[in-house]
Structure formats: structure tokens, C-alpha cells
Amino acid sequence: MPESGEVLSKPVDIKEEISQQTERENRHLGKKVLLVEDNELNREIATALLEEIGISVDSVEDGTDAVERMNEVDDDRYDLIFMDIQMPKMDGYMATREIRTLKNNKKANIPIIAMTANAFEEDREKSVRAGMNAHITKPIDIETIVDVLDQVFGTS
């Protein structure tokens, strides 16, 4: 039979754990991202996950649209871009290279996260060579997203 101290401490530990998880997930509340994803279902899932942790999401369906959007918006419109790699008109690597050449320094240096089914180390390296800041493999989950956001924004 557990001692009364053990029984009483368990609910507090669980409550504290839930509180820490909520705090961690809310750390990026209010961030604005551009999601570049050609697959409608993937776009819906990613949007739902990001909005669940308080992130505002705009989306486009192709790399060409992403470059065009970044050319048009104010330089403080987005905090980060989630970029699919395989898209029909312009892939994520090319779109990233194009964004990195924008005349506006803030836009050109926006953090860009690869979101791809390609999980090999060579894929990760190719993302970095294209100018991406991090690499997430699909299917994505909230823990991975928060970890990468913490890494990119230097929070933890």
C-alpha cells in the first residue's frame, strides 16, 4: 500500500507535467508562418497542428507561389516558412534559393524549414545546401514541430 505522501504527490506531478507541456506548446503563440505544400491533406494536417499551438498560418501550393508571396508581403509578415520539397512547378530547394536572393535582407534571411518525406541524411544535407535552416520529415507531429521551432528561434 503506498504511503499517503506518495498518493498525494502523484496528481501534483501529473498536473505540473501537463502545465510544462502546455507552456512549451504555447511558447510560439502568435508566430506567423507561410506553409508551402502542394498536397491538400498535408496542408490541412500541418495547418491544424500549427494552429493548435497558436501559430497563424497562411499557405500556398507551390514554390513559385511562395517566392511571389515573399516578394509581395511586408518584411514582418512571416516569422518562418515551412517548405515542402517535392512540388510540381518549383520545388522547395529552388524556392528557397530564390527567397535567399531577395533584395530585402529580412525576407531573404527568414528561417525556412524543409518538410519532406525524404528522411535520409543526404536529403537533410541537400536542404541545408539550398539554404534551409532545419529539416522535418513527414508525417509531422507536434513534438517535432515545437523542437524545431525552439531550435530556430533559440527558445527552450
Side-chain angles (χ1 to χ4, degrees):
M1 177 180 240
E3 293 188 30
S4 62
E6 288 178 45
V7 174
L8 292 176
S9 71
K10 269 244 192 276
V12 173
D13 291 345
I14 292 168
K15 188 175 180 181
E16 186 173 313
E17 189 176 307
I18 290 169
S19 174
Q20 287 173 347
Q21 181 178 347
T22 301
E23 180 183 318
R24 182 171 186 261
E25 289 179 0
N26 287 336
R27 195 175 348 216
H28 304 291
L29 189 69
K31 295 279 188 203
K32 299 170 297 235
V33 302
L34 177 62
L35 173 64
V36 187
E37 171 64 66
D38 65 319
N39 180 287
E40 185 177 353
L41 181 60
N42 288 344
R43 200 168 47 248
E44 288 175 13
I45 291 168
T47 298
L49 286 171
L50 292 165
E51 288 177 345
E52 186 177 309
I53 59 172
I55 294 176
S56 174
V57 181
D58 286 346
S59 62
V60 293
E61 297 180 19
D62 194 77
T64 54
D65 300 328
V67 173
E68 187 176 307
R69 175 74 57 95
M70 289 305 294
N71 269 314
E72 295 171 353
V73 298
D74 292 336
D75 66 4
D76 62 350
R77 175 70 181 118
Y78 299 114
D79 297 300
L80 181 136
I81 299 172
F82 283 102
M83 181 77 72
D84 185 23
I85 297 299
Q86 297 178 345
M87 294 178 284
K89 291 185 242 165
M90 179 186 288
D91 71 23
Y93 300 126
M94 180 59 73
T96 297
R97 287 188 203 100
E98 292 287 320
I99 290 167
R100 295 294 183 228
T101 65
L102 295 175
K103 287 182 173 48
N104 180 298
N105 193 44
K106 188 170 181 182
K107 290 182 189 181
N109 289 294
I110 189 169
I112 301 176
I113 311 300
M115 283 183 17
T116 177
N118 302 332
F120 294 110
E121 184 59 32
E122 62 215 37
D123 299 309
R124 189 175 305 280
E125 291 170 5
K126 192 171 180 181
S127 297
V128 170
R129 282 195 307 274
M132 296 181 179
N133 301 79
H135 186 274
I136 296 176
T137 56
K138 295 175 187 173
I140 59 172
D141 63 65
I142 201 72
E143 286 296 316
T144 303
I145 289 172
V146 173
D147 286 345
V148 170
L149 291 174
D150 286 349
Q151 172 192 339
V152 169
F153 294 122
T155 55
S156 53

